[in-house]
Amino acid sequence: MEYSPEKREIILSRKLNNLDKLAIEFIQVLEKYTDYVIISGYVSILLGRTRATEDVDVFIEKISSEKFSKLYSELKNAGFWCLNAEKESEIFSYLYEGLAVRFAKKGKVAPNFEVKFPKIDLDKETFNDFVIVFLKEGKIKISSLERQIAFKRYFLKSEKDMEDALHIEELFKDQLDYEKINNLKEVIEKVGKK
Amino acid sequence: MNNRIFLKPGRTNEEDRLNFIKFWVEYIKVHSDEEWSDQQNEVINSQIN
């Protein structure tokens, strides 16, 4: 695994597991219609954590209902269904309300992709604070390692999240921007108090 | 075999889990992506078909 903070890329020659294959399949549809960033648990799994997850969290840039219609249609053609509703307008209205909607392979509920629009500035910044993970079979855009650590350690804070943060920190400790983590910690704590 | 890294047992469940994470990261660093991911995939694929 090679991480270049300057290029904002990680070269990963790992063998894909079933979750990676599904994530690549989903992303390849998604990125035709909107920008996306993978956040939270799956990032640490992609980077080697020995745990599974029931969902992959994804921020997508806000899109029009027309574009969403095309995206939803292609997701359905690719064998995905939405767990929250079947009707396109209903799914889109959930997204616009700031709610997350989940997609899984038709007939299944897990693993699923939890898709949401960014709500606050802190979320929106993720689209400019990312790393691309290059795999042999495709590429996956994740939020920056510092952002991952800060969110897990200072916002989510569960045992699992603290362990995910430790994994990423131990793996890349000589290449992390600790000032950035501290700055994000301050912002996260301010948001948390509101 | 002389270069083996050993896992320090934790005195609590939490310490043991954290020690394993550090141990696993060291394993990732000294083994190829293919080698560690093969093992990780056994864990993940056993839960996700």
Side-chain angles (χ1 to χ4, degrees):
Chain A
M1 189 180 325
E2 286 173 39
Y3 172 43
S4 167
E6 298 76 27
K7 291 184 186 169
R8 298 204 289 196
E9 63 180 39
I10 292 172
I11 311 290
L12 187 52
S13 308
R14 60 164 303 151
K15 288 183 187 170
L16 298 191
N17 56 54
N18 293 342
L19 188 60
D20 299 322
K21 289 174 193 165
L22 192 66
I24 289 173
E25 190 183 343
F26 187 78
I27 286 163
Q28 284 176 346
V29 176
L30 204 58
E31 66 187 357
K32 287 185 192 172
Y33 300 94
T34 183
D35 196 8
Y36 78 92
V37 189
I38 304 278
I39 53 169
S40 205
Y42 175 63
V43 171
S44 56
I45 295 168
L46 178 66
L47 301 176
R49 264 279 269 157
T50 49
R51 72 170 181 91
T53 184
E54 64 193 14
D55 56 16
V56 174
D57 298 286
V58 191
F59 273 143
I60 61 167
E61 283 271 27
K62 274 193 177 178
I63 49 175
S64 64
S65 60
E66 293 76 20
K67 219 169 194 182
F68 178 74
S69 175
K70 288 178 187 164
L71 167 62
Y72 183 45
S73 174
E74 188 163 342
L75 282 173
K76 284 194 288 186
N77 288 339
F80 290 95
W81 68 351
C82 180
L83 302 185
N84 307 90
E86 195 170 351
K87 214 171 148 192
E88 181 188 302
S89 59
E90 203 175 339
I91 302 167
F92 188 69
S93 69
Y94 284 145
L95 279 171
Y96 250 80
E97 278 176 55
L99 303 173
V101 292
R102 291 173 188 255
F103 295 90
K105 273 289 177 176
K106 196 171 180 186
K108 293 185 173 184
V109 297
N112 59 64
F113 296 86
E114 189 183 327
V115 176
K116 56 197 160 194
F117 289 153
K119 272 197 278 195
I120 57 173
D121 287 344
L122 201 55
D123 298 339
K124 290 173 190 162
E125 286 165 13
T126 313
F127 289 96
N128 296 315
D129 187 25
F130 61 84
V131 173
I132 307 275
V133 180
F134 288 91
L135 300 151
K136 286 178 198 158
E137 299 81 357
K139 59 182 198 296
I140 298 179
K141 192 181 198 180
I142 60 171
S143 70
S144 75
L145 303 178
E146 289 83 2
R147 192 167 283 263
Q148 282 294 325
I149 291 169
F151 264 86
K152 287 196 160 277
R153 193 165 283 162
Y154 307 116
F155 186 74
L156 298 169
K157 299 182 195 176
S158 75
E159 186 180 55
K160 178 187 71 182
D161 293 303
M162 300 299 265
E163 290 174 1
D164 284 351
L166 177 67
H167 173 85
I168 294 171
E169 187 175 32
E170 287 288 318
L171 198 53
F172 300 103
K173 59 184 163 191
D174 300 329
Q175 294 173 286
L176 293 172
D177 180 346
Y178 285 93
E179 196 181 334
K180 183 173 168 182
I181 295 175
N182 283 331
N183 290 340
L184 281 164
K185 177 185 178 221
E186 284 177 23
V187 178
I188 289 165
E189 285 174 346
K190 270 184 203 164
V191 169
K193 283 176 190 162
K194 281 182 186 171
Chain B
M1 291 299 279
N2 290 337
N3 295 328
R4 263 189 76 187
I5 305 163
F6 292 98
L7 170 62
K8 188 182 169 193
R11 298 202 178 275
T12 61
N13 184 42
E14 186 190 3
E15 191 188 8
D16 203 53
R17 289 184 61 83
L18 298 181
N19 285 353
F20 179 75
I21 289 169
K22 291 176 187 171
F23 175 75
W24 174 245
V25 165
E26 287 310 309
Y27 189 92
I28 287 177
K29 285 180 180 174
V30 297
H31 291 79
S32 70
D33 289 349
E34 289 214 341
E35 203 170 344
W36 64 255
S37 64
D38 223 10
Q39 295 176 53
Q40 187 213 25
N41 290 355
E42 280 189 42
V43 175
I44 295 174
N45 290 344
S46 67
Q47 293 177 56
I48 298 166
N49 293 318

